[in-house]
């Protein structure tokens, strides 16, 4: 079944550790996104990718980095986690489309809730 | 620049009552409009979308929304809510024909359905 997956779902880690949040989709979408969502607040785009080897920073500045070596995989890395990175991270993907009903519809993964102590 | 305003951070309502969640947007170009729902500890699920055509859009779970260009609004409605509708609802906008596919989200409205 076509879907979008995120692992881990929950992560509690100490300050200074390097972490990678995984995101994979089996829908064949070329565009992928990472959003940061703090409790009770809106989602902010932190990274996006148009395709393999294409990554851009989003509207909200983030110390994280991303890579897109394969179409289906879009991992997010924090080299040195800090308590300020505590948040929920949501991954999404979409088809480019040239119009039609699928244009711009983003499909979201279940999210990773990160807590940095 | 585009922006989305959700006027109510929380909407309490009794079960089987009607509800309206308000959304206003600001954009200098034509837009696509979306409503997403987020249940606790889950990702976002698309409820409905307006791309073009009829201004009344029907979505899943009995929800509908009406696009009003003159008022730059896209309010979400349901005639009779259930306990299971309790969730966070996000309105979002994307620029028509934009290459980035980026969504701008509102701050969300918590729909709290009480028995």
């Amino acid at each position: 079944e076509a879907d979008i997956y995120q692992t881990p779902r929950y992560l509690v880690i100490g300050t200074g550790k390097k972490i990678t949040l995984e995101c994979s989709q089996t829908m064949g979408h070329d565009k992928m996104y990472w959003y940061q969502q703090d409790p009770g607040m809106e989602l902010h785009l932190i990274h996006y990718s148009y395709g393999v080897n294409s990554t851009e920073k989003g509207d909200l500045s983030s110390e994280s980095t991303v890579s897109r070596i394969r179409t289906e995989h879009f991992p997010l890395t924090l080299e040195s986690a800090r308590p300020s990175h505590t948040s929920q991270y949501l991954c999404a993907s979409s088809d480019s489309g040239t119009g039609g009903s699928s244009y711009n519809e983003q499909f979201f993964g279940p999210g990773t809730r990160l807590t940095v102590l | 620049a585009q922006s989305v305003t959700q006027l109510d951070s929380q909407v309490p309502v009794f079960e089987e009552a009607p509800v309206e969640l308000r959304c206003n947007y600001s954009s200098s170009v034509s837009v696509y409009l979306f409503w997403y729902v987020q249940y606790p500890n889950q990702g976002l699920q698309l409820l409905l979308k307006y791309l073009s055509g009829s201004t009344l859009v029907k979505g899943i779970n009995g929800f509908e929304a009406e696009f009003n260009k003159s008022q730059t609004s896209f309010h979400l409605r349901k005639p009779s809510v259930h306990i299971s509708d309790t969730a966070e609802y996000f309105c979002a906008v994307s620029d028509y024909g934009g290459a980035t596919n980026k969504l701008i989200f509102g701050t969300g409205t918590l729909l709290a359905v009480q028995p």
Side-chain angles (χ1 to χ4, degrees), chain A residues 21-81:
Chain A
L21 308 185
E22 301 288 349
C23 175
S24 294
Q25 50 96 4
T26 56
M27 294 178 281
H29 288 164
D30 53 351
K31 291 185 167 61
M32 296 189 74
Y33 314 81
W34 276 104
Y35 291 87
Q36 184 174 335
Q37 183 183 30
D38 293 321
M41 297 180 68
E42 65 202 275
L43 289 84
H44 290 286
L45 182 68
I46 52 175
H47 298 283
Y48 60 99
S49 168
Y50 292 146
V52 172
N53 294 324
S54 158
T55 61
E56 301 284 344
K57 288 193 177 295
D59 302 323
L60 180 69
S61 176
S62 174
E63 295 170 343
S64 58
T65 59
V66 293
S67 63
R68 189 89 182 274
I69 299 173
R70 302 198 315 267
T71 298
E72 65 272 20
H73 195 214
F74 191 42
L76 180 145
T77 299
L78 278 165
E79 290 293 333
S80 180

Side-chain angles (χ1 to χ4, degrees), chain A residues 9-10 31 33 35 37 42-43 45 48 50 59 88 90 94-95 100-101 103-106 108-110, chain B residues 32 34 36 38 41-44 46 49 51 90 94-95 97-107:
Chain A
R9 291 294 313 279
Y10 303 92
K31 291 185 167 61
Y33 314 81
Y35 291 87
Q37 183 183 30
E42 65 202 275
L43 289 84
L45 182 68
Y48 60 99
Y50 292 146
D59 302 323
Q88 167 143 279
L90 291 168
S94 72
D95 197 359
S101 61
Y103 188 65
N104 275 357
E105 179 175 344
Q106 292 187 18
F108 283 80
Chain B
Y32 294 134
F34 306 83
Y36 282 86
Q38 184 178 34
N41 298 317
Q42 294 187 28
L44 273 69
L46 183 67
K49 61 193 174 193
L51 303 180
F90 291 92
S94 180
D95 58 322
T100 63
N101 260 35
K102 289 194 292 183
L103 288 174
I104 307 297
F105 285 90
T107 51

Side-chain angles (χ1 to χ4, degrees), chain B residues 49-95:
Chain B
K49 61 193 174 193
Y50 172 78
L51 303 180
S52 65
S54 173
T55 57
L56 183 62
V57 180
K58 293 190 183 298
I60 62 171
N61 300 340
F63 284 93
E64 64 180 32
E66 186 158 17
F67 170 59
N68 188 319
K69 188 174 182 179
S70 62
Q71 297 186 5
T72 60
S73 67
F74 191 54
H75 300 332
L76 181 71
R77 303 187 185 97
K78 186 170 183 178
S80 176
V81 296
H82 301 289
I83 294 286
S84 59
D85 292 324
T86 294
E88 191 86 23
Y89 291 79
F90 291 92
C91 183
V93 63
S94 180
D95 58 322

